[in-house]
Structures are given as structure tokens and as C-alpha cells.
Amino acid sequence: MDTDVLIIGSGITGLSLAAALAPHTSVVVVEADPVVAYRQTARSVRALEPTVDPPVLRALQRRSAALIGQTLGDAAVDVSRPRRRVFRAADGRLDDVAVAGGLTVADDPAALLASAGASDTTAAAAFDDALDIDAGALQEHYRNAALDAGADIVPVADVHTAARIGGGWLIGAGQEGLEAHTVVNAAGAWADPIAVVAAVEIQGLQPHRHTAAVFGLTAPIDPDTPLLVSDDVAIRPDGDGLLVTQVAGSPGNAGAVPPSAAAVEQLRRAALALTDHPLGDLDRAWTAVRTRGRDGLPVVGYDGEADGFFWLAGQGDAVVHAAPALADLAAGLILDRHGIDRGAGQTRTDVADETIDEPAAEAILAALSPVRRVPTRPSSDLGRTAPVH
């Protein structure tokens, strides 16, 4: 099987790029699992970013929100909805974090914290208005859009060999042998292992495990209650229950691991200590794996040495919220390299008021490039700002 672009990974990252590319060039998506998006994205349903993001990620998230509205039209309300995020913190640290993360410090923190169900309203607080995204629904949209445009999605196709041939790549995936001009590494937590298979220098991506649990409620709460972030946990309504999740997570391996009973119990205790929500029994719990670049930013662009090898990984907590914007920018780079013009009306530089103009797009891509200079220690101006405590 030959294709112009081979995408490794069928999470929302790979499928959003496939949907952006397929109207213009041939695309094949390979997935190691028998089910599309079984791993990271499947564990991010109703994803809402619980941490404070640096400017480059905030710009991508705003751009993604505009693209969702433009692409899905009236159906966008079924995929995304606004939800306020309330960050509780000590007075001495709040101002610096608020500036770094683009938050607004509350004039009336007690009222703001009370709106999020906080039991202690004496702390300082800041907020912003984020987008609550149904990751599964958005991913299904991209899957259908990619298939409708002619993309092929091949399951049970774990990449086991990769070699440069002529002007492209020969990839062994499951029982398939595929030739492609460009190989996109959108394998999430497996992105560095894929690079090893391809004999490409790794990016030093680090998977982090985040335990999450949904508890029942003994009495209903307002479904639009803001998300509360405090003491390294994020708490918000989830259907008829209450979602409680770790913010920072802990370094780990790529494979899925069941959540420990101790971690789930810690989440329960945090919800009881921090909120007045009427918590009931455990409904379900899981562990999400989110992979971050060395400086906290994604890695997006062609490899500096391996011609035709494209990185689209390391999005961390921003994997769902940045996917539409990153897919649009990545598609532009790939199509330009292939000499394909998306044509009039196909560029997205006029999306609502959240446009990323050409100079800004170039700056973002430079900040995310695989050949960028990564600082020894993450900077709050470049990488993810630490959670508010």
C-alpha cells in the first residue's frame, strides 16, 4: 500500500490531522490497537484543562475553539461548552501564577470559590473561562471526516519496522508494508519508542499518569458548576456524578495501568475536604497517560535530520484542546512540503476573531519545532506553569 502521508496513531491528534489532509492528498492512519483511540484520548472524555498554560498553548486552545465552531457549526454545542475554571491558591503565589497563566484574580474570591462548591472560601482565587470538550465526540467527527475524504484507517497495525527508501519511508505495521513520502509520529506516549524503531533521535518525551475517578452524588448539583483546582486536584461535575482528577500526575511508562485503590481514595478524601458536594459511591476510575515535551510544550514539525519524519506529539494535558489548531498548522507544513496548495477558502487564517495570522503561526511553530533549543529547566514562558497550590 502506497500513500503520501502515513500517520502513526489514531487518537484525536492523528485523526484531526488525517481529516485536515485527506481532502488534498492520500492518507493512511495505522493503529496498534483493534479499536481506534483506545488509549489516551479514550481516557480524556469531557476533557477540560485543569492546569495553567503558557501563552503558546493558550493561543492554540483559542484557535481550536474557533475551528470547532467553524467546522461543526450548530453541532458544536454537542461537542464543546464553556466552563469557568476556578484556581484556589495562597495569596503569595497567586499573582505570579495568574500572570503566567492568563488568569484573572478575583475581586471577590469568597463568592468565586463558593460558586465552585469550595468548602473553604477564605483563600485567594483566580479564574478563566475554558472550553469543556467531549473528546470522544470530537474524535468521532474527525474520524468520519477523514474516512469521508478518502483516508484509510488500519487497526491492529503496530509499527515494528521503519526504513528510509528513496524519497520516502517503508513502514512495517502489523501485517502491512506501507510506503509513504511523509511519516507522522502521532503516537502519543509511544512517540519516542516509534522514533527508536525508525532510527530517529528521540525527543525526550515523558509520559505522566493521572488518576481520575467519578463519584456518584447523593443530591444533584448544577451541571454548570465551575471546575475547582486546588491542592493538585481538579473537581467538576460529570453527568450525574463528580469527576475528581490529579493535576500534575506522576512520571511513568506508556502502557495502561489500572488505578490503585489508594490513589482513588486520595481523590475521594480531597473532594470531601475541599468541597461541599454531596459525594456518594465510586462510579468508575481510570488512569490517563499524558505525554509532555521536555520543556512542557508539544513537538511539532519535520525532524531536523530524518527527512520526511514529522513529529506531532508531547501535547500533555492540552492534547484535546490543542488538536484542531495543531492539525491545521501541521497540515499546512506537510502540504507545503509536498507542493500541494490547499486552495482558496481552504486556509483557516480568517476564523472568527481567534485567528493565528501567518507571523504568529510561524512563531508558534518555531516554539514547537523538533529542532528548537530546549532549556535545561522549563520556563514559565515556554513550558507548562505548575499547578496552583
Side-chain angles (χ1 to χ4, degrees), residues 113-171:
L113 289 167
S115 72
S119 54
D120 179 4
T121 59
T122 61
F127 68 93
D128 67 1
D129 292 312
L131 199 63
D132 193 354
I133 295 178
D134 186 330
L138 183 60
Q139 181 171 264
E140 185 66 13
H141 162 76
Y142 286 130
R143 176 181 178 274
N144 292 336
L147 291 173
D148 289 346
D152 289 316
I153 301 176
V154 184
V156 197
D158 191 9
V159 174
H160 48 78
T161 57
R164 286 283 299 161
I165 55 165
W169 288 83
L170 176 61
I171 303 295

Side-chain angles (χ1 to χ4, degrees), residues 24-247:
H24 313 287
T25 192
S26 58
V27 177
V28 174
V29 180
V30 293
E31 169 58 51
D33 289 310
V35 180
V36 169
Y38 171 73
R39 299 180 188 252
Q40 180 165 318
T41 309
R43 291 165 172 77
S44 304
V45 175
R46 279 287 168 200
L48 187 92
E49 303 315 311
T51 46
V52 180
D53 291 314
V56 63
L57 287 182
R58 295 201 304 272
L60 289 169
Q61 291 160 5
R62 291 193 300 270
R63 172 72 168 178
S64 290
L67 287 169
I68 290 171
Q70 181 200 54
T71 304
L72 275 70
D74 293 340
V77 297
D78 298 325
V79 172
S80 62
R81 59 187 294 179
R83 189 187 297 274
R84 177 155 289 184
R85 305 188 303 175
V86 175
F87 295 83
R88 177 182 179 275
D91 284 303
R93 188 162 179 262
L94 184 66
D95 288 343
D96 289 342
V97 173
V99 169
L103 306 177
T104 300
V105 177
D107 294 328
D108 186 353
L112 181 66
L113 289 167
S115 72
S119 54
D120 179 4
T121 59
T122 61
F127 68 93
D128 67 1
D129 292 312
L131 199 63
D132 193 354
I133 295 178
D134 186 330
L138 183 60
Q139 181 171 264
E140 185 66 13
H141 162 76
Y142 286 130
R143 176 181 178 274
N144 292 336
L147 291 173
D148 289 346
D152 289 316
I153 301 176
V154 184
V156 197
D158 191 9
V159 174
H160 48 78
T161 57
R164 286 283 299 161
I165 55 165
W169 288 83
L170 176 61
I171 303 295
Q175 301 299 313
E176 300 283 346
L178 305 104
E179 293 187 22
H181 296 297
T182 290
V183 172
V184 178
N185 187 359
W190 290 263
D192 268 352
I194 289 294
V196 172
V197 172
V200 174
E201 185 176 355
I202 65 172
Q203 289 288 323
L205 304 173
Q206 177 60 65
H208 285 73
R209 299 183 185 281
H210 298 250
T211 299
V214 175
F215 299 95
L217 294 166
T218 58
I221 64 174
D222 185 346
D224 293 324
T225 296
L227 174 142
L228 175 67
V229 181
S230 179
D231 297 331
D232 197 29
V233 296
I235 304 169
R236 65 168 172 81
D238 184 88
D240 295 330
L242 189 73
L243 172 66
V244 189
T245 182
Q246 295 174 337
V247 172

Side-chain angles (χ1 to χ4, degrees), residues 248-266:
S250 57
N253 297 321
V257 173
S260 71
V264 174
E265 180 59 25
Q266 287 177 349

Side-chain angles (χ1 to χ4, degrees), residues 363-387:
I364 288 173
L365 289 170
L368 306 183
S369 170
V371 299
R372 69 184 184 265
R373 184 173 179 271
V374 178
T376 303
R377 296 185 60 187
S379 163
S380 60
D381 293 330
L382 293 174
R384 174 172 297 283
T385 303

